[in-house]
Amino acid sequence: MLSLTLGTTRRERTDVRGGEEQIKRRGRLPQQLALICVAAMVMVLFATPVSASVGDRLPEFSECVEICQRENCGADSEHNTPIPLHHRLLLWTCPAECDYTCQHIITIRRVSAKPPQPIVQFHGKWPFYRFLGMQEPASVLFSAGNLLAHYDGLYNKILPNMPPSYTMRPYYVALAYVGMVTWFFSLVFHMRDFAVTEQLDYFAAGASVMYGMYYTVVRVFRLDRDSSGRRGSVLRAWTGLCVSLYVCHVAYLKLWDWDYTYNMAANVACGAVQNVMWSWFSWDRYRRSRRAWAVWPGIVVAWVLVAMSMELLDFAPVWGVLDAHSLWHFGTIAPAVLWYK
């Protein structure tokens, strides 16, 4: 790892590898999907600034990073500390290593102070303990769990059991693909936070929410039937409207203003529409049929709402790993499994 000078002489330099070990002790697809992801990576233009947080404004943090870079990121061998291969594969650079190490040094100082000081965010994120170079290992793991839930739903539920003649089948297949792409980009973003990975995560999540609202209307009002008649005209209009809204959404974020509040509001609005519709659908079908299967959409909606509420409970990561966001991702795995049943 890196060595970090906290004084002014070479003898006062502290080995960051030892520091990281101390931190740890204290805290102790299918081919089409790959092609879609590669194409998206190439197409996205990334130039989004990162907002500052309390942590990276602290003078002691700035001093720590400056000293670390001076002692470890120089051109000469004496001041150039090698970076492990598995970190370099995830594009960790010497300045990034210093930033990560100083985050945890400052955090340990704050929680060890008398009286203890609160843990603060750095660059808009809590100071997580990384694993094999992954910045947020719990969110990576749970994103992978969601991806597998959609993969299993497509290849073990929809394709083998849903007849090709069923008019909603293409919409459910698309739902599974959108879900897999969305959670793949979530996995990538939580693995390494760059401007491009953040944008891909946000745009994919927006597409997932928009498609969820789109196919909910198609299913509830059965716009998939009679494609040549009046319903077909309504379906085409609805498709055009949803595509236009999504394009405008991406264009606004990318070309006008990368607004986190607006993005959250837009996703919540679309999510609320489909949740209300599925809740009504579930209640209406159960009222008519009195069959148990009719309550499942309502149960899934309730489960998702509970999982989403975790986002409102933003707190410093427990054990340096589990935060509200990762628990939200964990909470959405079971609803996805139930949905495909």
Side-chain angles (χ1 to χ4, degrees), residues 249-266:
H249 172 73
V250 172
Y252 175 78
L253 289 174
K254 185 62 191 173
L255 305 177
W256 187 259
D257 182 22
W258 188 260
D259 188 335
Y260 292 97
T261 302
Y262 155 75
N263 180 74
M264 177 65 73

